[in-house]
Amino acid sequence: MTATAQGRESTSPVRGDARAVGAQAHDVPPHDAQADDTRRPGAQRPRGGVATDAHAHRGGSPRGARSRAGRLAAALPARRKAPFGAAHDDLAAGVGSSPEDLPFGPPTGGLPRPPDRRRQLTRVGLVVTAMGVTIGLLSLPFLGAAGLFAKASAEHFLELPSDLVTPPLPQRSEILASDGTVIATLAGAENRQVVSGAEIPKIMREAIVAIEDARFYEHNGVDPQGVLRAAARNSEAGTTTQGGSTLTQQYVKNVLLQDATTEEEREAVAGNSLDRKLRELRYAVAIEKRFTKEEILERYLNIAYFGDGAYGVGTAALHYFGIPISQVSLEQAALLAGLVQSPSRYDPVNHPQAALERRNQVLTRMADENYVSHTRADAARQMPIEVIRDQPRAQDSCAASSAPFFCDYVRSQLRASPALGATVEERDRRIYEGGLRIQTTLNPQVQNAVQTAVDSTIPRDSRVSATEVVIQPGTGAILGMAVNRTYGTDTAANQTVVPLPTLDKPKQPPFQPGSTFKTFTLAAALEQGYGTRTAYYSPACYETPAFPLDRRTGDCPKGYQNAEPGEVGIYDMSSATWASVNTYFIQLEEEIGVPAVVEMATRLGVDPNHLKDISPTEGDVTIGGEYVTPMDMAVAYSTLAAGGIRCDPRFASSIVDSAGQALDVGVTPKCERVLSQGVADTVTSILAGVLTNGTGGNARFDHPAAGKTGTNDGFSSAWFVGYTPQIAAAVAVGDPNGAESNPLRNITINGRPWPHVYGGDLPALIFGQSMRGALVGQPVQPLPAADPATARGTKGGRLMNENAIPAPPTPTQPDPGSLLPGLGQGAGQGGTGQIPGLTRPSQQQPQNSPTAGQGGGRAGRASSQQQGGDGGLGR
């Protein structure tokens, strides 16, 4: 009885090492090291019960004509007719056929050996002890204990607790897409997928019973024949080599190991003390009364360790064969059943021959027990072992997920949620062992379209990254999240685990949003009553004491400038937005104040932590001087798409644990109106012109859409953020290893050279392609028109700086009008009113070429480069 932990390799889980085998982790010698050393070289003996035993009835009643007591009496003296089979540590079942399996060893032959009185006494003592334990346990509490179980021992046994606490098994969690398909699994030290009894096929149950506990359906949790077999075997070996535990006892031991939280507790459970064994037996007897045989089998098969990090038969079937347990064949079930005795020794990947022999041994036992015919077993023995050999070694499957960065985002959100525990350790335990079923908002069609767009536009081996986040307006549901990078730690292969869609502190987001931030200035001005016809003369360089700046270099060292020197003229809100004119928006921001822009950005959805401590004199806020994430911008623009209703980003629609209990971890939409619909719709009507009349022509696709380009100083990064009524997306392009030091200049993408990249180039192309695929099958919805009252405004609506318009240059040649009457008459003379060298808003000719007038930018308080549009790109 004390041989339990030493005669087999433990199948119990050990926290902290997914591949740990219990016998080794608890310093318990494995079956291979002791029991097999006593075998003769080359001897092959099947494991099992007494050869003359009738087959166990799979319903709890005897399968043969003889009673259990009769079979026991017949088996005891029949040394050759009914040899004791060698049982492994905790499971005593099966049949032995070699002379080794006789209770007191093989016949010596020839001259008899001199008697060894000490050895004989040891043997007798072991047998008597085993019989006493068995008889005592079977008789309690109705009969007096015999042998070892004196009255005091019996009372002690009865005083032991019998109500075994069986908490839910640790099992992996699943992250599912919105359609229920598996995105990834989150597995901890124990990779387990608990399966129901209905999913475990009859052939799997029969295989495990045949090889591990042939009398399972006959005993009441303690098998006296198994105990006697173990005692006889230990007597022959002169030491502890095997135990007499049943499947029920094995289940009990696994539960106790599962509940152990310290190494000392695990060692106590796996140890050989009599008290430990008595407690285990007491629990086993109670378990048999509490559960049916089929329920015990289901629980055992779900808790058992099958090697290579696979806990539970459901996980093992997927791990080794790539199929659910319900689909395993006879030979596959036999392979799995053979693993539990010694998962490392019979590992089919590293020890295929041993696994083959063990599987065939199981098949033989199944035939002997009449679970299958000998013909069928013989046919199955001819089948080769086919298992999945290249197994992923990652702790979880985010790296192999179709949406790895979204998977990582889900994991990080769960780890930060107090609903899963007060500490990170508690939350991790729930995430990796709680069997959570996380139904996410990720839409497979959208995700595939987004991932395809970023990968096809900028290959994964490029130093330039492309990141896109897609949000559903009105719900905050994250529909897609993609980066043109392989998720992994091999930086030499251009892999990364940096969460580029949502990167937050302690590292700041890698990119500035450029002129996509002008949208917030636009919204704030409209809200304050400045109508869409509010106009400014916008020079090539604009200096103001309200926003002091001194770069000490370039053509505009103390001011803000446009992307192109020719962008000079009178612009209203619409035309300035379409052409992304920096000096217009600096003046508009000067009118409404920097705090108003910041407040509008955070109100619409930009994380306030990304806009902290901004001085009222930092004028470059409107042209994207701060650092934000694609998630920030996607949420903010989705608020405009929803008519002014902001919804917090939401990654899941439901989360339930293994017990079916729902968890509220951000699954409920949290939305509120933060902007009037009139202002939101008017902003949308202006942004729609960016795609049709302005810098975002490359973003156009087969649905009406609104959006804004953005390009930063020195072409450090480029953006496009846009939306339809159904979907909003933010695209950021740049070098995450240092945007300012590795600008988007002189790069080659898919064989095409790019001297520089604006927001209207690669980002706009990615947006258009991804939206085209994401909206396949969706109805075309129109964008809202501007609200007349908001567009008209209560102040502004006029040329705000007429005095700033420079006087026309003194003509050096005759006025053409004097030569050709009626041509080009000046202002106030019935002509067009055009200022020489300048254009009125109504006469602007939007430029849509990739090299002119696209994107957005910043004035560059951190930048000193002054080439082309540097110092505040207006595209």
Side-chain angles (χ1 to χ4, degrees):
M1 291 296 297
T2 60
T4 303
Q6 297 187 23
R8 65 177 277 135
E9 184 176 324
S10 170
T11 63
S12 305
V14 180
R15 291 189 176 93
D17 182 0
R19 297 176 56 82
V21 178
Q24 297 167 345
H26 304 308
D27 296 325
V28 180
H31 175 82
D32 312 32
Q34 294 187 19
D36 288 352
D37 287 344
T38 64
R39 297 181 181 180
R40 294 180 300 161
Q44 294 292 328
R45 57 176 178 82
R47 301 178 59 256
V50 178
T52 58
D53 284 354
H55 301 305
H57 178 59
R58 293 182 293 278
S61 62
R63 299 174 59 203
R66 291 180 295 177
S67 67
R68 180 182 299 132
R71 286 194 304 279
L72 177 58
L76 287 176
R79 296 180 58 191
R80 294 185 182 275
K81 179 181 178 183
F84 290 98
H88 54 72
D89 168 270
D90 274 315
L91 299 181
V95 61
S97 59
S98 72
E100 281 192 310
D101 293 321
L102 298 178
F104 301 99
T108 59
L111 295 175
R113 292 180 296 180
D116 186 335
R117 302 287 297 175
R118 183 176 182 181
R119 183 179 180 86
Q120 289 178 349
L121 289 174
T122 300
R123 292 176 179 175
V124 172
L126 286 170
V127 174
V128 171
T129 297
M131 293 181 66
V133 170
T134 302
I135 296 171
L137 288 178
L138 292 178
S139 301
L140 289 173
F142 306 106
L143 301 176
L148 180 64
F149 281 90
K151 180 179 180 181
S153 297
E155 291 176 350
H156 173 65
F157 177 78
L158 290 175
E159 290 172 357
L160 292 174
S162 62
D163 188 12
L164 178 65
V165 178
T166 56
L169 287 174
Q171 56 179 305
R172 67 190 185 188
S173 299
E174 287 187 329
I175 301 177
L176 310 176
S178 60
D179 64 353
T181 56
V182 177
I183 296 173
T185 58
L186 300 175
E190 296 181 26
N191 181 20
R192 176 186 285 108
Q193 181 182 29
V194 173
V195 293
S196 66
E199 295 176 84
I200 303 174
K202 179 171 173 283
I203 197 69
M204 185 68 241
R205 297 168 182 265
E206 293 171 341
I208 200 71
V209 168
I211 194 63
E212 295 293 355
D213 191 355
R215 291 169 39 77
F216 174 71
Y217 289 102
E218 297 181 43
H219 61 65
N220 67 344
V222 181
D223 184 11
Q225 291 189 21
V227 174
L228 293 173
R229 270 197 311 275
R233 188 70 182 88
N234 295 338
S235 171
E236 169 60 25
T239 184
T240 301
T241 61
Q242 63 179 253
S245 296
T246 63
L247 277 172
T248 310
Q249 290 172 256
Q250 270 298 300
Y251 169 67
V252 168
K253 181 178 179 181
N254 276 282
V255 171
L256 294 175
L257 276 172
Q258 190 73 63
D259 291 342
T261 58
T262 66
E263 188 62 30
E264 292 74 16
E265 291 177 352
R266 286 190 284 270
E267 289 178 356
V269 173
N272 298 321
S273 70
L274 178 61
D275 187 69
R276 192 276 296 178
K277 198 62 180 179
L278 289 175
R279 187 181 300 270
E280 180 183 300
L281 294 174
R282 176 73 162 146
Y283 281 137
V285 172
I287 285 289
E288 288 276 345
K289 296 178 181 179
R290 181 179 175 188
F291 301 113
T292 66
K293 289 288 187 178
E294 296 306 320
E295 288 173 334
I296 294 172
L297 261 185
E298 175 188 339
R299 287 169 173 267
Y300 174 78
L301 287 170
N302 272 308
I303 202 172
Y305 180 58
F306 289 83
D308 205 27
Y311 288 80
V313 71
T315 309
L318 291 170
H319 182 79
Y320 290 112
F321 312 125
I323 60 174
I325 185 60
S326 60
Q327 298 179 13
V328 295
S329 63
L330 168 60
E331 57 270 18
Q332 289 172 331
L335 177 67
L336 294 179
L339 281 172
V340 295
Q341 184 193 53
S342 180
S344 62
R345 179 182 179 186
Y346 300 124
D347 178 359
V349 175
N350 297 308
H351 305 291
Q353 185 58 37
L356 179 66
E357 293 173 0
R358 177 64 174 166
R359 183 205 67 180
N360 291 345
Q361 186 180 5
V362 176
L363 292 168
T364 298
R365 289 294 301 140
M366 294 181 72
D368 291 344
E369 290 293 317
N370 287 339
Y371 287 120
V372 297
S373 67
H374 284 280
T375 300
R376 188 181 178 195
D378 290 341
R381 278 192 289 268
Q382 306 308 311
M383 299 296 293
I385 288 181
E386 296 180 352
V387 295
I388 300 172
R389 297 186 177 276
D390 297 327
Q391 298 285 357
R393 295 302 176 204
Q395 183 181 11
D396 59 72
S397 62
C398 274
S401 170
S402 59
F405 290 91
F406 177 74
C407 173
D408 180 72
Y409 175 76
V410 170
R411 181 174 52 193
S412 66
Q413 293 300 300
L414 293 173
R415 295 193 76 209
S417 174
L420 294 181
T423 65
V424 173
E425 291 74 18
E426 291 177 12
R427 296 192 285 270
D428 280 348
R429 190 156 50 248
R430 293 287 296 277
I431 294 168
Y432 295 105
E433 300 180 0
L436 303 181
R437 185 177 176 86
I438 307 156
Q439 187 90 36
T440 72
T441 58
L442 193 80
N443 183 292
Q445 176 179 321
V446 175
Q447 176 63 26
N448 181 65
V450 172
Q451 190 67 62
T452 300
V454 297
D455 286 342
S456 62
T457 305
I458 305 178
R460 295 193 180 194
D461 59 359
S462 173
R463 71 171 177 85
V464 178
S465 71
T467 304
E468 185 168 9
V469 174
V470 183
I471 300 287
Q472 184 180 48
T475 69
I478 302 172
L479 303 178
M481 183 181 292
V483 182
N484 68 329
R485 287 287 189 275
T486 298
Y487 186 89
T489 58
D490 188 355
T491 55
N494 216 31
Q495 296 180 0
T496 186
V497 294
V498 175
L500 294 176
T502 59
L503 182 63
D504 207 339
K505 295 181 177 180
K507 294 183 178 179
Q508 69 176 11
F511 306 126
Q512 298 160 303
S515 287
T516 60
F517 237 65
K518 290 173 180 173
T519 298
F520 306 133
T521 306
L522 183 65
L526 289 170
E527 188 176 60
Q528 289 188 21
Y530 293 91
T532 59
R533 293 185 61 82
T534 300
Y536 287 94
Y537 167 72
S538 302
C541 175
Y542 181 74
E543 298 180 11
T544 171
F547 307 141
L549 188 67
D550 190 358
R551 288 186 297 272
R552 301 179 182 179
T553 185
D555 298 331
C556 187
K558 295 186 178 182
Y560 302 83
Q561 64 187 106
N562 296 323
E564 300 292 341
E567 289 176 353
V568 177
I570 298 174
Y571 295 86
D572 62 10
M573 279 190 184
S574 296
S575 60
T577 302
W578 301 343
S580 198
V581 180
N582 285 347
T583 56
Y584 174 92
F585 278 92
I586 291 294
Q587 294 178 85
L588 186 61
E589 181 186 41
E590 189 177 10
E591 189 78 28
I592 64 174
V594 170
V597 178
V598 173
E599 191 273 339
M600 179 60 68
T602 57
R603 201 198 314 168
L604 294 185
V606 176
D607 189 337
N609 291 320
H610 298 157
L611 299 177
K612 279 185 175 181
D613 304 322
I614 295 178
S615 168
T617 63
E618 292 181 11
D620 63 352
V621 169
T622 188
I623 50 179
E626 304 305 314
Y627 289 83
V628 297
T629 68
M631 177 71 80
D632 287 332
M633 300 305 290
V635 172
Y637 274 58
S638 73
T639 302
L640 297 170
I645 296 176
R646 186 196 68 214
C647 298
D648 292 346
R650 185 167 59 95
F651 67 87
S653 56
S654 70
I655 301 177
V656 296
D657 60 18
S658 60
Q661 180 180 357
L663 304 174
D664 189 3
V665 185
V667 300
T668 304
K670 295 182 180 179
C671 304
E672 63 174 319
R673 177 166 292 284
V674 296
L675 188 67
S676 71
Q677 183 157 353
V679 172
D681 289 350
T682 304
V683 172
T684 295
S685 70
I686 294 175
L687 295 183
V690 174
L691 281 74
T692 57
N693 301 316
T695 59
N698 283 328
R700 297 176 66 176
F701 58 105
D702 54 355
H703 285 238
K708 185 68 187 75
T709 56
T711 313
N712 288 296
D713 268 0
F715 298 96
S716 61
S717 64
W719 292 64
F720 188 90
V721 188
Y723 55 91
T724 71
Q726 305 111 308
I727 196 168
V731 180
V733 173
D735 191 327
N737 295 314
E740 285 78 13
S741 57
N742 301 285
L744 301 177
R745 289 180 179 275
N746 300 318
I747 60 174
T748 300
I749 304 294
N750 284 329
R752 176 182 174 180
W754 293 85
H756 40 62
V757 176
Y758 286 99
D761 296 332
L762 295 172
L765 290 169
I766 291 172
F767 175 87
Q769 180 182 342
S770 63
M771 293 301 99
R772 190 177 297 109
L775 291 171
V776 167
Q778 298 298 313
V780 175
Q781 295 186 10
L783 295 172
D787 174 64
T790 302
R792 185 170 53 253
T794 58
K795 51 188 173 183
R798 55 186 174 80
L799 183 60
M800 303 292 290
N801 61 346
E802 187 171 358
N803 295 333
I805 300 176
T810 302
T812 57
Q813 294 183 359
D815 182 3
S818 64
L819 300 177
L820 297 174
L823 175 64
Q825 292 179 334
Q829 299 178 359
T832 63
Q834 177 176 320
I835 300 174
L838 304 177
T839 55
R840 291 287 186 182
S842 60
Q843 297 173 320
Q844 289 292 322
Q845 300 297 320
Q847 299 175 347
N848 295 316
S849 68
T851 58
Q854 299 180 23
R858 64 168 289 182
R861 53 183 142 88
S863 174
S864 61
Q865 301 181 32
Q866 292 296 312
Q867 286 185 323
D870 296 349
L873 289 177
R875 302 305 167 96

